[in-house]
Amino acid sequence: MRFRLSWLSVMLLMAVSRTAAADAALLLRVDGAIGPATADYVVHGLDAAHDQGAALVILEMDTPGGLDSAMRKIVQAVLASPVPVATYVAPPGARAASAGTYILYASHVAAMAEATNLGAATPVQISAGGGSDTPAQPETAEERKVLNDALAYISGLAQRHGRNADWAQQAVRDAASLTADQALKLHVIDYVAGDVADLLKQLDGRKLVLDKGEVTLHTAGMSVSEYTPGWRVKFLAVLTDPSVAYILLLIGIYGLVFEGYNPGGVFPGVAGGIALLLALYAFQVLPVNFAGLALIILGVLLFVIETFVPAYGTLSLGGIAAFIFGSLILMDTNVPGFTLPRGLIGGLGTAAALLLAGTLWLAARAHRKPAASGAEELLGATGHALTEFEDDRQGKVWIHSETWNAESALPLAAGTAVRVVRREGLKLIVEAADQRTAKGN
């Protein structure tokens, strides 16, 4: 009986929770460039909404665009979602540019706040480089393939939800953009709402067609809970930040170089290997220009070669130039949100130049110093005579805490302060440090 009561209680709680979830909406926030971390967050959020039995997913979005692969992953998840998705461009001042426009068109409900905009959905490979205000027209077969694929893709999304397909093509072909009010008039979006509560009020009673059939929304007074990203999404967001991936690459390369200089140090090699693997993972999902990556590696190699080849800084100067140019073109600067800050590149380039200048200064300073070891180090050294230097001018002297056989041009008394003139094999040629103390003067 106790077991049955416990089982009944659990089932009752599950039923109550399911009913409560069915009267709730799950809010997802996308703020920033669309990348692998964003796609992972949205996909997991849609799965969570289904598992919780939520009645609606609100995707609040403010994005300049992002990676095509991540955008398509989000679109596929939205289209396959058994829970209706309302994408809402907010807060005021936000935008759904480039990849954001595709996501907005793919959603079951498209809404915007006042003072927001969408559009400029031309693939960056087509619009790159022209230098004018008008997007460049496709010239190669590859560019035409990319443009036509994007046109067909967004047209299909528009037709699926009965939205303005003609303007969608303008957004792709001509990088057209619209304000919220204009988008509503042209049937690009469904609603203009002041906030989430206003959107839910307007959505109440709306009928949507999903894969599972027609659904009627009952959103008046619906509670909203926010879906927060897990540690994996946060980690991916940090890792796939271009600046972080760039720094990880440099740590990895220099770590392996230092391990090569000091075999057995262990820590530089381990830390460098881990950093390099993380950087390579990030680069495989980022728009990396491999020519830039090769230039950075070349720059580091030139620094290393400078330590073995007496090039007087010329190799290091070439390394700094290769490092800076490689860093400037490392990321595809046409992809919104995936560029390297010029300040970071300038700072690291300046640090490398200062390191080179410091190394050259230390080398010049060391060159000017008297020799500290070898035969040259004895020249000019002072000591004293241990024995008398008589007619044969031969004797022993104490120089640098060592006893040496010595020869003098003049007789010297024992204890006389002497200076080394030159060295001949294991014999020193000395003279009196003060010529007035030479014997016989």
Side-chain angles (χ1 to χ4, degrees), residues 138-163:
E139 298 178 353
T140 66
E142 182 65 26
E143 290 177 342
R144 287 193 293 271
K145 286 170 60 177
V146 172
L147 179 61
N148 291 332
D149 176 71
L151 288 170
Y153 191 58
I154 202 167
S155 295
L157 297 176
Q159 292 170 7
R160 182 182 179 93
H161 297 297
R163 300 198 177 102

PDB file of all heavy atoms in Angstrom, residues 138-163:
ATOM      1  N   PRO A 138      28.443  38.448 -58.046  1.00  0.00           N
ATOM      2  CA  PRO A 138      29.258  37.239 -58.189  1.00  0.00           C
ATOM      3  C   PRO A 138      29.922  37.180 -59.563  1.00  0.00           C
ATOM      4  O   PRO A 138      29.279  37.409 -60.582  1.00  0.00           O
ATOM      5  CB  PRO A 138      28.239  36.107 -58.011  1.00  0.00           C
ATOM      6  CG  PRO A 138      26.913  36.723 -58.330  1.00  0.00           C
ATOM      7  CD  PRO A 138      27.018  38.147 -57.898  1.00  0.00           C
ATOM      8  N   GLU A 139      31.199  36.896 -59.560  1.00  0.00           N
ATOM      9  CA  GLU A 139      31.941  36.856 -60.810  1.00  0.00           C
ATOM     10  C   GLU A 139      32.390  35.449 -61.177  1.00  0.00           C
ATOM     11  O   GLU A 139      32.497  35.124 -62.350  1.00  0.00           O
ATOM     12  CB  GLU A 139      33.165  37.779 -60.712  1.00  0.00           C
ATOM     13  CG  GLU A 139      32.801  39.246 -60.500  1.00  0.00           C
ATOM     14  CD  GLU A 139      34.028  40.128 -60.350  1.00  0.00           C
ATOM     15  OE1 GLU A 139      35.143  39.550 -60.288  1.00  0.00           O
ATOM     16  OE2 GLU A 139      33.885  41.361 -60.287  1.00  0.00           O
ATOM     17  N   THR A 140      32.662  34.624 -60.182  1.00  0.00           N
ATOM     18  CA  THR A 140      33.137  33.273 -60.462  1.00  0.00           C
ATOM     19  C   THR A 140      32.000  32.272 -60.272  1.00  0.00           C
ATOM     20  O   THR A 140      30.958  32.581 -59.668  1.00  0.00           O
ATOM     21  CB  THR A 140      34.298  32.907 -59.522  1.00  0.00           C
ATOM     22  OG1 THR A 140      33.798  32.831 -58.171  1.00  0.00           O
ATOM     23  CG2 THR A 140      35.410  33.950 -59.596  1.00  0.00           C
ATOM     24  N   ALA A 141      32.225  31.076 -60.783  1.00  0.00           N
ATOM     25  CA  ALA A 141      31.227  30.019 -60.629  1.00  0.00           C
ATOM     26  C   ALA A 141      30.998  29.695 -59.159  1.00  0.00           C
ATOM     27  O   ALA A 141      29.857  29.440 -58.738  1.00  0.00           O
ATOM     28  CB  ALA A 141      31.686  28.768 -61.388  1.00  0.00           C
ATOM     29  N   GLU A 142      32.064  29.721 -58.372  1.00  0.00           N
ATOM     30  CA  GLU A 142      31.934  29.428 -56.950  1.00  0.00           C
ATOM     31  C   GLU A 142      31.072  30.472 -56.244  1.00  0.00           C
ATOM     32  O   GLU A 142      30.215  30.142 -55.414  1.00  0.00           O
ATOM     33  CB  GLU A 142      33.327  29.374 -56.307  1.00  0.00           C
ATOM     34  CG  GLU A 142      33.323  29.024 -54.834  1.00  0.00           C
ATOM     35  CD  GLU A 142      32.817  27.624 -54.564  1.00  0.00           C
ATOM     36  OE1 GLU A 142      32.928  26.762 -55.470  1.00  0.00           O
ATOM     37  OE2 GLU A 142      32.297  27.386 -53.457  1.00  0.00           O
ATOM     38  N   GLU A 143      31.279  31.750 -56.573  1.00  0.00           N
ATOM     39  CA  GLU A 143      30.482  32.818 -55.970  1.00  0.00           C
ATOM     40  C   GLU A 143      29.019  32.712 -56.371  1.00  0.00           C
ATOM     41  O   GLU A 143      28.117  32.943 -55.557  1.00  0.00           O
ATOM     42  CB  GLU A 143      31.053  34.180 -56.372  1.00  0.00           C
ATOM     43  CG  GLU A 143      32.397  34.489 -55.737  1.00  0.00           C
ATOM     44  CD  GLU A 143      32.964  35.803 -56.222  1.00  0.00           C
ATOM     45  OE1 GLU A 143      32.487  36.285 -57.282  1.00  0.00           O
ATOM     46  OE2 GLU A 143      33.867  36.342 -55.573  1.00  0.00           O
ATOM     47  N   ARG A 144      28.761  32.370 -57.627  1.00  0.00           N
ATOM     48  CA  ARG A 144      27.366  32.208 -58.075  1.00  0.00           C
ATOM     49  C   ARG A 144      26.697  31.046 -57.359  1.00  0.00           C
ATOM     50  O   ARG A 144      25.519  31.111 -57.008  1.00  0.00           O
ATOM     51  CB  ARG A 144      27.335  32.003 -59.593  1.00  0.00           C
ATOM     52  CG  ARG A 144      27.635  33.270 -60.396  1.00  0.00           C
ATOM     53  CD  ARG A 144      27.288  33.088 -61.866  1.00  0.00           C
ATOM     54  NE  ARG A 144      28.160  32.113 -62.506  1.00  0.00           N
ATOM     55  CZ  ARG A 144      29.318  32.413 -63.075  1.00  0.00           C
ATOM     56  NH1 ARG A 144      29.749  33.670 -63.073  1.00  0.00           N
ATOM     57  NH2 ARG A 144      30.057  31.471 -63.658  1.00  0.00           N
ATOM     58  N   LYS A 145      27.448  29.972 -57.124  1.00  0.00           N
ATOM     59  CA  LYS A 145      26.896  28.830 -56.397  1.00  0.00           C
ATOM     60  C   LYS A 145      26.508  29.229 -54.981  1.00  0.00           C
ATOM     61  O   LYS A 145      25.427  28.871 -54.486  1.00  0.00           O
ATOM     62  CB  LYS A 145      27.920  27.689 -56.361  1.00  0.00           C
ATOM     63  CG  LYS A 145      28.075  26.950 -57.678  1.00  0.00           C
ATOM     64  CD  LYS A 145      29.256  26.007 -57.648  1.00  0.00           C
ATOM     65  CE  LYS A 145      29.129  24.969 -56.565  1.00  0.00           C
ATOM     66  NZ  LYS A 145      30.260  24.010 -56.584  1.00  0.00           N
ATOM     67  N   VAL A 146      27.383  29.984 -54.307  1.00  0.00           N
ATOM     68  CA  VAL A 146      27.094  30.403 -52.936  1.00  0.00           C
ATOM     69  C   VAL A 146      25.862  31.313 -52.893  1.00  0.00           C
ATOM     70  O   VAL A 146      24.980  31.151 -52.041  1.00  0.00           O
ATOM     71  CB  VAL A 146      28.328  31.125 -52.336  1.00  0.00           C
ATOM     72  CG1 VAL A 146      27.983  31.736 -50.990  1.00  0.00           C
ATOM     73  CG2 VAL A 146      29.497  30.160 -52.188  1.00  0.00           C
ATOM     74  N   LEU A 147      25.796  32.277 -53.817  1.00  0.00           N
ATOM     75  CA  LEU A 147      24.673  33.211 -53.834  1.00  0.00           C
ATOM     76  C   LEU A 147      23.362  32.493 -54.142  1.00  0.00           C
ATOM     77  O   LEU A 147      22.353  32.696 -53.464  1.00  0.00           O
ATOM     78  CB  LEU A 147      24.929  34.308 -54.867  1.00  0.00           C
ATOM     79  CG  LEU A 147      23.807  35.349 -55.015  1.00  0.00           C
ATOM     80  CD1 LEU A 147      23.575  36.082 -53.710  1.00  0.00           C
ATOM     81  CD2 LEU A 147      24.121  36.328 -56.130  1.00  0.00           C
ATOM     82  N   ASN A 148      23.362  31.653 -55.159  1.00  0.00           N
ATOM     83  CA  ASN A 148      22.130  30.948 -55.529  1.00  0.00           C
ATOM     84  C   ASN A 148      21.668  29.994 -54.430  1.00  0.00           C
ATOM     85  O   ASN A 148      20.465  29.823 -54.205  1.00  0.00           O
ATOM     86  CB  ASN A 148      22.336  30.181 -56.840  1.00  0.00           C
ATOM     87  CG  ASN A 148      22.485  31.112 -58.030  1.00  0.00           C
ATOM     88  OD1 ASN A 148      21.952  32.221 -58.028  1.00  0.00           O
ATOM     89  ND2 ASN A 148      23.216  30.686 -59.042  1.00  0.00           N
ATOM     90  N   ASP A 149      22.628  29.379 -53.745  1.00  0.00           N
ATOM     91  CA  ASP A 149      22.264  28.505 -52.633  1.00  0.00           C
ATOM     92  C   ASP A 149      21.591  29.301 -51.527  1.00  0.00           C
ATOM     93  O   ASP A 149      20.576  28.868 -50.957  1.00  0.00           O
ATOM     94  CB  ASP A 149      23.525  27.806 -52.100  1.00  0.00           C
ATOM     95  CG  ASP A 149      23.235  26.945 -50.884  1.00  0.00           C
ATOM     96  OD1 ASP A 149      22.592  25.895 -51.046  1.00  0.00           O
ATOM     97  OD2 ASP A 149      23.647  27.333 -49.770  1.00  0.00           O
ATOM     98  N   ALA A 150      22.136  30.484 -51.214  1.00  0.00           N
ATOM     99  CA  ALA A 150      21.548  31.323 -50.165  1.00  0.00           C
ATOM    100  C   ALA A 150      20.160  31.810 -50.575  1.00  0.00           C
ATOM    101  O   ALA A 150      19.229  31.862 -49.749  1.00  0.00           O
ATOM    102  CB  ALA A 150      22.461  32.500 -49.875  1.00  0.00           C
ATOM    103  N   LEU A 151      19.987  32.184 -51.843  1.00  0.00           N
ATOM    104  CA  LEU A 151      18.675  32.641 -52.328  1.00  0.00           C
ATOM    105  C   LEU A 151      17.623  31.541 -52.208  1.00  0.00           C
ATOM    106  O   LEU A 151      16.505  31.784 -51.727  1.00  0.00           O
ATOM    107  CB  LEU A 151      18.793  33.100 -53.784  1.00  0.00           C
ATOM    108  CG  LEU A 151      19.528  34.429 -54.031  1.00  0.00           C
ATOM    109  CD1 LEU A 151      19.790  34.623 -55.517  1.00  0.00           C
ATOM    110  CD2 LEU A 151      18.714  35.589 -53.475  1.00  0.00           C
ATOM    111  N   ALA A 152      17.987  30.348 -52.634  1.00  0.00           N
ATOM    112  CA  ALA A 152      17.033  29.239 -52.554  1.00  0.00           C
ATOM    113  C   ALA A 152      16.717  28.892 -51.105  1.00  0.00           C
ATOM    114  O   ALA A 152      15.568  28.574 -50.762  1.00  0.00           O
ATOM    115  CB  ALA A 152      17.605  28.027 -53.283  1.00  0.00           C
ATOM    116  N   TYR A 153      17.731  28.973 -50.258  1.00  0.00           N
ATOM    117  CA  TYR A 153      17.557  28.602 -48.854  1.00  0.00           C
ATOM    118  C   TYR A 153      16.569  29.527 -48.157  1.00  0.00           C
ATOM    119  O   TYR A 153      15.600  29.082 -47.524  1.00  0.00           O
ATOM    120  CB  TYR A 153      18.918  28.647 -48.160  1.00  0.00           C
ATOM    121  CG  TYR A 153      18.943  28.033 -46.785  1.00  0.00           C
ATOM    122  CD1 TYR A 153      18.573  26.710 -46.575  1.00  0.00           C
ATOM    123  CD2 TYR A 153      19.350  28.783 -45.688  1.00  0.00           C
ATOM    124  CE1 TYR A 153      18.614  26.149 -45.316  1.00  0.00           C
ATOM    125  CE2 TYR A 153      19.396  28.224 -44.413  1.00  0.00           C
ATOM    126  CZ  TYR A 153      19.030  26.910 -44.234  1.00  0.00           C
ATOM    127  OH  TYR A 153      19.068  26.347 -42.987  1.00  0.00           O
ATOM    128  N   ILE A 154      16.775  30.849 -48.294  1.00  0.00           N
ATOM    129  CA  ILE A 154      15.896  31.781 -47.592  1.00  0.00           C
ATOM    130  C   ILE A 154      14.510  31.839 -48.246  1.00  0.00           C
ATOM    131  O   ILE A 154      13.505  32.068 -47.558  1.00  0.00           O
ATOM    132  CB  ILE A 154      16.536  33.185 -47.519  1.00  0.00           C
ATOM    133  CG1 ILE A 154      15.918  33.982 -46.371  1.00  0.00           C
ATOM    134  CG2 ILE A 154      16.418  33.925 -48.848  1.00  0.00           C
ATOM    135  CD1 ILE A 154      16.676  35.232 -46.002  1.00  0.00           C
ATOM    136  N   SER A 155      14.434  31.588 -49.554  1.00  0.00           N
ATOM    137  CA  SER A 155      13.115  31.546 -50.217  1.00  0.00           C
ATOM    138  C   SER A 155      12.292  30.379 -49.695  1.00  0.00           C
ATOM    139  O   SER A 155      11.083  30.496 -49.468  1.00  0.00           O
ATOM    140  CB  SER A 155      13.297  31.430 -51.728  1.00  0.00           C
ATOM    141  OG  SER A 155      13.926  32.592 -52.244  1.00  0.00           O
ATOM    142  N   GLY A 156      12.946  29.239 -49.509  1.00  0.00           N
ATOM    143  CA  GLY A 156      12.245  28.078 -48.959  1.00  0.00           C
ATOM    144  C   GLY A 156      11.738  28.342 -47.552  1.00  0.00           C
ATOM    145  O   GLY A 156      10.615  27.938 -47.195  1.00  0.00           O
ATOM    146  N   LEU A 157      12.533  29.032 -46.737  1.00  0.00           N
ATOM    147  CA  LEU A 157      12.101  29.363 -45.378  1.00  0.00           C
ATOM    148  C   LEU A 157      10.918  30.322 -45.414  1.00  0.00           C
ATOM    149  O   LEU A 157       9.979  30.196 -44.613  1.00  0.00           O
ATOM    150  CB  LEU A 157      13.267  29.988 -44.594  1.00  0.00           C
ATOM    151  CG  LEU A 157      14.495  29.106 -44.372  1.00  0.00           C
ATOM    152  CD1 LEU A 157      15.601  29.895 -43.673  1.00  0.00           C
ATOM    153  CD2 LEU A 157      14.137  27.878 -43.538  1.00  0.00           C
ATOM    154  N   ALA A 158      10.958  31.297 -46.323  1.00  0.00           N
ATOM    155  CA  ALA A 158       9.860  32.263 -46.431  1.00  0.00           C
ATOM    156  C   ALA A 158       8.565  31.571 -46.840  1.00  0.00           C
ATOM    157  O   ALA A 158       7.487  31.839 -46.282  1.00  0.00           O
ATOM    158  CB  ALA A 158      10.227  33.347 -47.439  1.00  0.00           C
ATOM    159  N   GLN A 159       8.643  30.687 -47.820  1.00  0.00           N
ATOM    160  CA  GLN A 159       7.452  29.984 -48.289  1.00  0.00           C
ATOM    161  C   GLN A 159       6.876  29.069 -47.221  1.00  0.00           C
ATOM    162  O   GLN A 159       5.652  28.888 -47.126  1.00  0.00           O
ATOM    163  CB  GLN A 159       7.798  29.187 -49.541  1.00  0.00           C
ATOM    164  CG  GLN A 159       8.119  30.063 -50.747  1.00  0.00           C
ATOM    165  CD  GLN A 159       8.698  29.279 -51.903  1.00  0.00           C
ATOM    166  OE1 GLN A 159       8.748  28.047 -51.869  1.00  0.00           O
ATOM    167  NE2 GLN A 159       9.157  29.992 -52.920  1.00  0.00           N
ATOM    168  N   ARG A 160       7.709  28.489 -46.403  1.00  0.00           N
ATOM    169  CA  ARG A 160       7.236  27.564 -45.366  1.00  0.00           C
ATOM    170  C   ARG A 160       6.303  28.266 -44.386  1.00  0.00           C
ATOM    171  O   ARG A 160       5.318  27.680 -43.917  1.00  0.00           O
ATOM    172  CB  ARG A 160       8.421  26.967 -44.622  1.00  0.00           C
ATOM    173  CG  ARG A 160       8.036  25.942 -43.547  1.00  0.00           C
ATOM    174  CD  ARG A 160       9.257  25.430 -42.822  1.00  0.00           C
ATOM    175  NE  ARG A 160       8.911  24.480 -41.777  1.00  0.00           N
ATOM    176  CZ  ARG A 160       8.858  23.176 -41.930  1.00  0.00           C
ATOM    177  NH1 ARG A 160       9.111  22.635 -43.112  1.00  0.00           N
ATOM    178  NH2 ARG A 160       8.543  22.390 -40.917  1.00  0.00           N
ATOM    179  N   HIS A 161       6.575  29.541 -44.089  1.00  0.00           N
ATOM    180  CA  HIS A 161       5.763  30.256 -43.100  1.00  0.00           C
ATOM    181  C   HIS A 161       4.962  31.399 -43.720  1.00  0.00           C
ATOM    182  O   HIS A 161       4.430  32.246 -43.008  1.00  0.00           O
ATOM    183  CB  HIS A 161       6.659  30.803 -41.985  1.00  0.00           C
ATOM    184  CG  HIS A 161       7.362  29.736 -41.199  1.00  0.00           C
ATOM    185  ND1 HIS A 161       6.689  28.788 -40.453  1.00  0.00           N
ATOM    186  CD2 HIS A 161       8.682  29.445 -41.058  1.00  0.00           C
ATOM    187  CE1 HIS A 161       7.562  27.976 -39.870  1.00  0.00           C
ATOM    188  NE2 HIS A 161       8.778  28.349 -40.244  1.00  0.00           N
ATOM    189  N   GLY A 162       4.871  31.438 -45.053  1.00  0.00           N
ATOM    190  CA  GLY A 162       4.038  32.430 -45.719  1.00  0.00           C
ATOM    191  C   GLY A 162       4.524  33.855 -45.563  1.00  0.00           C
ATOM    192  O   GLY A 162       3.715  34.782 -45.445  1.00  0.00           O
ATOM    193  N   ARG A 163       5.844  34.043 -45.580  1.00  0.00           N
ATOM    194  CA  ARG A 163       6.398  35.387 -45.436  1.00  0.00           C
ATOM    195  C   ARG A 163       6.876  35.900 -46.792  1.00  0.00           C
ATOM    196  O   ARG A 163       6.915  35.168 -47.767  1.00  0.00           O
ATOM    197  CB  ARG A 163       7.523  35.398 -44.409  1.00  0.00           C
ATOM    198  CG  ARG A 163       7.064  34.960 -43.026  1.00  0.00           C
ATOM    199  CD  ARG A 163       8.004  35.362 -41.909  1.00  0.00           C
ATOM    200  NE  ARG A 163       7.414  34.940 -40.643  1.00  0.00           N
ATOM    201  CZ  ARG A 163       7.792  33.859 -39.957  1.00  0.00           C
ATOM    202  NH1 ARG A 163       8.796  33.120 -40.403  1.00  0.00           N
ATOM    203  NH2 ARG A 163       7.190  33.530 -38.840  1.00  0.00           N
TER     204      ARG A 163
END
